[in-house]
Amino acid sequence: MRSYKAKMVEPITLPSREERESAIEQAGYNVFNLDARDVYIDLLTDSGTGTMSADQWAAMIRGDEAYAGSDSFANLAESVHDVMGFEHVVPTHQGRGAENVLYGVLLEDGDVVPNNSHFDTTRAHIVNQGAEPVDCPSPASRDPDSTASFKGNFDLDAGRALVEEVGADSIPVVVLTITNNSVAGQPVSMENIRATAEFARDIDALFVIDACRFAENAHFIKTHEQGYEDASIAEIAREQFEHADAITMSGKKDALVNIGGFAAMNDEAIFEHAKQRAILYEGFPTYGGLSGRDIEAMAVGLREAVTPPYVGERVEQVAELGDLLSEADVPVYLPTGGHAVYLDASEIFSHIPKEQFPGQALVCALYREGGVRGVELGGFAFPGTDRPDLVRLALPRRTYSREHLEHIAETAAEAMANADEYDGLEIVEEPPMKELRHFSARLKPVSN
Ligand code: F0G
C-alpha cells in the first residue's frame, strides 16, 4: 500500500528496440551519454531524482530570497536541529559542497581518514586536502550471499590496525557513511555507530557522519536491531547523531529534494571556520549556493523523511524490486540495501572476463532489452581496484510504481537469458583522470 498518490505526471516512453540499439551505440556504450528522453526507467541514481510532496512545493512559494539572514535559512536550521540535533548548519549546493567546506576545515596534508567506505566524492575531497582516505568495510560485506544484517558496518579491527600502522596523531577524523553506498547500500547498526564514535574519541579524533541516507539507515535499525522495535524513526534518526561532532549531508537523498546539501556541527570554532570556506566556495552562509525556495523544500523534506510511513514504504519498495529480481533468478547482492538493488554482473555475464567490463556490458544490455538505465560500480568505475562487478539499480524516491518494478525485473531476466548475445567491451576514448572515466569514456564491443 502507498500512502500517496500522483498529483502531477511526467510522460515516459519506451523507444523501439532499433532506436535503443542505435542510441546505445551512439552513446559509446556509456549510459551517461544517453539523452534522458531515450530512457524508459531511469535508475542511474536516487540522488535528486525523486518526487517532492505538495507540502514541499507549497513551501517553495514561501522561499525567502534574501541574500543574508533569510527566513528560509532559519527554517532549515530549525529542521536540522529538530531532526538531527545539531546547533549549527552551513547550507551548500549539494553533498560534495559540504565535504569541501568541512574537510577543508578539519584536514591537513598527510592526515589519514578511515571510513566504513568512502563515496567517490568524499574520497576525492579528502585527497584534495592532501589526506589519505582508507576504507574499513566490515568483513561480512565481502560475501554477496550472506543475509546478515548491517553489512555496512565499520570494521573496528581494521580501524585499530590502521592506528597501529600510522599512529593516532595522523588520524584527526573518523568518518561513518550511513547507509554504506559503496557496499550495496547496506546499513550500519546503532551499536556500530556508538562503537565507532568511541573509537574516534579514544584516539582523540573527531567523529563525522556522512548522513545522506540517514532515514533509510534508521529504518533498518528499527526493523533489525534489538531494542529499537518500539522506538520511532525520528528518535532513532536523532540517536544516530548523538555522538557525532559533525555531519555532511546531501539533501538530494534523505532530505527528499532535487538539489541541496549542508554541513552541520555543534562546535563554534568549526562552525566559524566552515562559514568562511562556505563564503569562498558556496555563497553567503545563509544561502550556500541555493535559492531560498530550494532551502525551504529541504527544510520540509528533512521532516518528511522521519515521519511515518514514508521511509518504511521507501525501503520496502527497494526490497520489493530485490524480491522480483530474485524470483526471476537474477543474482542480486543480499540483503537488499536501502536505496538500490545491486546485480552481480560477474555471475549474470560470467562469459565476459573482468578486463572486458561485465558490469558495463550488463548496463548496456539492460538498456537494450528494456530501456532501463542502471550504473556500473565495478572494474569500469573503479579502475585498479578489486571491487566486485556490481550493477546498481537505484530507485528514485516516491517515483515509480509496481508495474515499473515488474518491467525492470523482466528486463534483467531477458538480459540474462540472452547473455550469449552480449560481448565484453573495450575502452576507445577516456578522459585524463581515470577515476572519472565511467562518466564520459566511450567503449565498443570487443568483437567489433
Ligand atoms: N556521500 C554519499 C554516501 C553519496 O552517496 C553521495 C552521492 C555523496 C556523498 C555526494 O553527494 O551528489 O549531493 O554531491 N551519491 C550519488 C549517487 C551521486 O549516485 O550515489 P552529492
Side-chain angles (χ1 to χ4, degrees):
M1 297 280 275
R2 295 264 163 264
S3 61
Y4 53 84
K5 61 179 181 174
K7 195 179 188 70
M8 207 184 278
V9 293
E10 182 179 348
I12 49 173
T13 49
L14 177 62
S16 69
R17 191 173 180 104
E18 296 71 48
E19 286 167 334
R20 300 197 298 270
E21 281 174 4
S22 147
I24 194 71
E25 189 186 340
Q26 279 174 24
Y29 296 88
N30 184 340
V31 290
F32 281 97
N33 296 332
L34 287 172
D35 289 336
R37 80 168 81 86
D38 292 332
V39 175
Y40 180 48
I41 297 184
D42 205 346
L43 309 179
L44 188 64
T45 178
D46 64 319
S47 182
T49 51
T51 304
M52 289 205 296
S53 66
D55 280 351
Q56 285 178 290
W57 283 106
M60 286 179 83
I61 304 289
R62 290 193 301 270
D64 176 354
E65 305 301 344
Y67 190 95
S70 72
D71 275 352
S72 302
F73 172 73
N75 289 341
L76 176 67
E78 207 178 298
S79 271
V80 171
H81 182 264
D82 293 350
V83 174
M84 301 167 126
F86 291 96
E87 290 300 320
H88 303 300
V89 58
V90 181
T92 58
H93 76 285
Q94 59 183 82
R96 65 201 72 182
E99 290 167 352
N100 182 33
V101 164
L102 188 70
Y103 292 123
V105 173
L106 303 182
L107 299 179
E108 282 175 9
D109 238 14
D111 287 341
V112 176
V113 181
N115 188 332
N116 48 346
S117 301
H118 293 83
F119 179 68
D120 4 0
T121 60
T122 326
R123 173 181 301 280
H125 275 298
I126 286 171
V127 169
N128 200 36
Q129 298 304 327
E132 186 197 345
V134 179
D135 286 345
C136 303
S138 113
S141 68
R142 289 189 196 102
D143 178 1
D145 299 320
S146 132
T147 53
S149 308
F150 303 113
K151 286 162 79 173
N153 281 353
F154 185 101
D155 180 5
L156 289 154
D157 290 338
R160 289 189 201 102
L162 185 70
V163 175
E164 286 291 308
E165 187 190 328
V166 302
D169 289 349
S170 308
I171 307 179
V173 176
V174 174
V175 186
L176 193 61
T177 305
I178 63 171
T179 57
N180 193 337
N181 188 14
S182 308
V183 174
Q186 299 296 304
V188 177
S189 69
M190 192 71 87
E191 187 188 5
N192 190 254
I193 295 176
R194 238 180 273 123
T196 310
E198 212 168 291
F199 163 68
R201 233 184 343 267
D202 283 350
I203 59 168
D204 235 353
L206 293 174
F207 179 45
V208 174
I209 292 183
D210 176 338
C212 296
R213 299 178 178 88
F214 76 99
E216 289 166 10
N217 201 73
H219 172 79
F220 283 102
I221 291 175
K222 182 173 171 61
T223 49
H224 287 84
E225 190 163 351
Q226 225 182 356
Y228 288 91
E229 307 80 1
D230 300 326
S232 69
I233 291 291
E235 286 164 347
I236 297 170
R238 266 187 79 125
E239 191 180 329
Q240 294 177 127
F241 299 119
E242 244 166 41
H243 310 285
D245 295 294
I247 60 169
T248 55
M249 175 72 189
S250 167
K252 301 170 76 172
K253 284 83 170 177
D254 278 353
L256 311 179
V257 289
N258 302 121
I259 193 71
F262 55 87
M265 65 289 287
N266 290 321
D267 185 88
E268 290 289 335
I270 296 175
F271 177 49
E272 286 308 319
H273 191 169
K275 280 197 289 187
Q276 298 313 308
R277 275 185 71 83
I279 294 173
L280 195 55
Y281 293 106
E282 298 288 321
F284 189 76
T286 62
Y287 77 84
L290 298 167
S291 64
R293 53 184 174 274
D294 296 328
I295 294 179
E296 285 287 350
M298 193 153 64
V300 174
L302 265 184
R303 293 185 191 276
E304 285 182 6
V306 296
T307 305
Y310 162 71
V311 80
E313 288 184 3
R314 154 70 175 162
V315 175
E316 277 158 24
Q317 192 187 33
V318 177
E320 192 182 343
L321 176 59
D323 290 345
L324 285 169
L325 286 157
S326 295
E327 282 159 24
D329 291 327
V330 178
V332 299
Y333 186 101
L334 292 173
T336 310
H339 66 296
V341 180
Y342 292 66
L343 309 181
D344 186 348
S346 55
E347 211 174 309
I348 298 170
F349 278 2
S350 56
H351 62 296
I352 300 180
K354 194 167 175 64
E355 324 72 78
Q356 295 177 6
F357 311 124
Q360 187 64 9
L362 179 59
V363 166
C364 293
L366 293 174
Y367 178 71
R368 220 178 98 170
E369 297 289 346
V372 173
R373 174 157 71 171
V375 69
E376 196 264 8
L377 293 176
F380 178 52
F382 301 106
T385 68
D386 61 352
R387 294 256 195 138
D389 286 302
L390 298 178
V391 167
R392 185 183 77 172
L393 304 179
L395 268 189
R397 295 167 179 79
R398 304 189 287 207
T399 300
Y400 290 118
S401 58
R402 167 89 188 183
E403 291 83 348
H404 295 119
L405 305 191
E406 286 168 358
H407 175 81
I408 298 162
E410 281 160 22
T411 298
E414 246 351 78
M416 196 161 81
N418 299 334
D420 53 8
E421 285 176 25
Y422 292 96
D423 260 340
L425 297 167
E426 61 184 288
I427 296 175
V428 289
E429 236 179 81
E430 63 181 319
M433 254 187 102
K434 250 187 164 34
E435 288 74 19
L436 299 180
R437 73 181 178 193
H438 78 294
F439 295 114
S440 57
R442 298 182 69 83
L443 306 97
K444 72 173 185 60
V446 285
S447 57
N448 282 10

